[in-house]
Amino acid sequence: MPRPISATIHTQALRHNLARARAAAPGTKAWAVVKANAYGHGLARAFAGLREADGFALLDLDEAVRLRESGWAGPILLLEGFFEPADLDLINRHGLTTGVHCDDQLRMIETARLDRPLNVYLKMNTGMNRLGFRPARYRAAWERARGIASIGQITLMTHFANADGEIGIAAQCEAFEHGAAGIAGERSVANSAATLWHPDAHGDWIRPGVLLYGASPTGRHADIAAADLRPAMTLTSRLIATQRLEAGESIGYGSLFRADQPIRAGIVACGYADGYPRHAPTGTPIAVNGVRTRTLGRVSMDMLAVDLTPCGDVQTGASVELWGEQVAIDDVAQAAGTIGYELMCAVMPRVPTHAD
Ligand SMILES: *Cc1c(COP(=O)(O)O)cnc(C)c1O
């Protein structure tokens, strides 16, 4: 028998969350962002739930080709663009749309032999300072792109650094408007946070990622409580042993948890080699047989311990939810000092996944 851990991908939740994104940004078209193997959900499984998207956005050329070969004939956007001239052959063959963020990429397109129009997302750096042309240089880049015969549509794009936080997006929006002034063409600016919380900055094509998977751009579950999103992944396992600790006894490596009174503990088949965060301390939320409780001590490679005090007379074999419908992935992430994005992306290949 395999280890009892598994991840369930909820196809209907993906569909629901995409509909929520659309409802938040009426009149726009939606890229479903499925980079990083659909944020750990599996590209094929995510595709099954997100077919109503107008297009799929990702980073990896291999994933783009896989999506094309799985039957998606609509738009596919490479968010970071391409890295060498040979990539353009595949982009051309599969009719992909590509981000263009630097002069090197424009040069490669100029010298490539393409037999159909290449649609590009011309990226402006409005303050994130990772990729893109500065606003003052944007018009020149756009004119250069427009002068390349093989380039078809040019969409104007930028990416927000603070759509989920205090700093907000005003300065970046201003920079974008300035750099794009007088340039015709569709705009794409909104990640999940802007889709949910900045209705004035939706542009023509939204690019929601994490919200499709039912987690919060801020990493705090309470922030999406009003957005009616559903978790797209449930990570479950089982108790493979129970222990009774006497007062003074400890559990796990480093003896980080020590009982101050007798306590029943359960041992769960899930550890950091499954992608559960090793940084999750004692007290991280978890559910056993549907009852919320807490982890105890340090997460091991293949196991972790839970407090069975609130769970009644549960035995070996009891079901455990690491995250999903009973325990928000953001709550686990917050306890571990990270965000839901990182946890969902980190689920390891050894964890079997299935769709429901
Ligand atoms: C990842 C990414 C997104 C989606 O971000 P979320 O915060 O997951 O919504 C959108 N646009 C670009 C360019 C990205 O890299």
Side-chain angles (χ1 to χ4, degrees):
M1 186 182 142
R3 291 172 71 237
I5 190 167
S6 72
T8 306
I9 308 304
H10 307 299
T11 312
Q12 291 303 333
L14 290 164
R15 185 168 297 135
H16 169 86
N17 294 340
L18 175 60
R20 297 302 303 153
R22 285 193 184 287
T28 65
K29 285 169 278 186
W31 292 106
V33 179
V34 293
K35 62 191 177 188
N37 197 29
Y39 291 48
H41 293 65
L43 189 60
R45 300 207 191 289
F47 177 50
L50 298 170
R51 283 169 179 273
E52 282 146 39
D54 297 292
F56 289 88
L58 41 67
L59 298 182
D60 195 87
L61 200 45
D62 286 346
E63 288 188 340
V65 171
R66 263 203 288 144
L67 191 60
R68 196 52 101 217
E69 287 172 347
S70 72
W72 175 253
I76 299 177
L77 170 61
L78 296 170
L79 288 164
E80 272 179 11
F82 54 94
F83 305 95
E84 56 181 31
D87 296 342
L88 282 166
D89 296 337
L90 278 175
I91 288 171
N92 180 58
R93 187 171 338 142
H94 294 282
L96 309 179
T97 300
T98 182
V100 170
H101 63 79
C102 64
D103 285 305
D104 271 346
Q105 289 176 328
L106 286 171
R107 189 172 320 120
M108 286 188 260
I109 298 171
E110 275 164 351
T111 54
R113 305 223 339 236
L114 308 175
D115 60 16
R116 56 170 141 176
L118 174 65
N119 293 336
V120 303
Y121 267 52
L122 193 68
K123 187 156 190 178
M124 195 192 304
N125 171 14
T126 53
M128 177 75 103
N129 292 325
R130 298 189 308 191
L131 303 179
F133 300 93
R134 296 259 176 182
R137 283 226 44 239
Y138 193 74
R139 187 169 187 103
W142 179 79
E143 277 169 3
R144 181 174 177 187
R146 203 180 47 150
I148 301 173
S150 55
I151 289 186
Q153 287 165 18
I154 305 174
T155 302
L156 285 54
M157 170 193 192
T158 195
H159 192 52
F160 294 131
N162 296 291
D164 60 334
E166 296 270 298
I167 296 174
I169 62 170
Q172 282 191 265
C173 286
E174 199 183 311
F176 188 69
E177 284 318 310
H178 175 67
I183 303 179
E186 292 187 319
R187 266 82 168 150
S188 179
V189 297
N191 56 4
S192 293
T195 299
L196 291 172
W197 300 316
H198 295 284
D200 47 338
H202 283 159
D204 300 293
W205 283 82
I206 57 171
R207 304 191 306 269
V210 78
L211 85 73
L212 301 177
Y213 307 100
S216 173
T218 61
R220 288 182 303 268
H221 182 64
D223 293 336
I224 54 165
D228 182 26
L229 303 176
R230 298 188 196 148
M233 179 196 295
T234 301
L235 184 63
T236 55
S237 189
R238 291 187 183 280
L239 294 187
I240 57 170
T242 61
Q243 299 291 340
R244 189 180 164 79
L245 302 185
E246 300 303 332
E249 287 188 312
S250 68
I251 195 163
Y253 288 114
S255 298
L256 294 189
F257 174 80
R258 200 174 285 281
D260 54 12
Q261 55 184 0
I263 184 175
R264 246 183 116 226
I267 306 300
V268 183
C270 176
Y272 63 78
D274 298 300
Y276 194 89
R278 184 172 174 279
H279 292 300
T282 292
T284 300
I286 189 166
V288 178
N289 264 359
V291 177
R292 262 173 92 102
T293 178
R294 58 175 183 150
T295 64
L296 296 177
R298 182 173 282 161
V299 174
S300 305
M301 181 183 285
D302 310 301
M303 288 176 260
L304 57 80
V306 293
D307 182 354
L308 296 180
T309 307
C311 304
D313 182 33
V314 294
Q315 301 298 332
T316 296
S319 68
V320 175
E321 182 182 294
L322 287 312
W323 59 67
E325 272 142 11
Q326 298 154 12
V327 180
I329 191 169
D330 286 317
D331 289 346
V332 177
Q334 207 177 357
T338 184
I339 52 178
Y341 294 74
E342 186 179 16
L343 299 193
M344 52 180 76
C345 290
V347 174
M348 294 288 185
R350 83 173 190 184
V351 176
T353 65
H354 57 270
D356 72 358

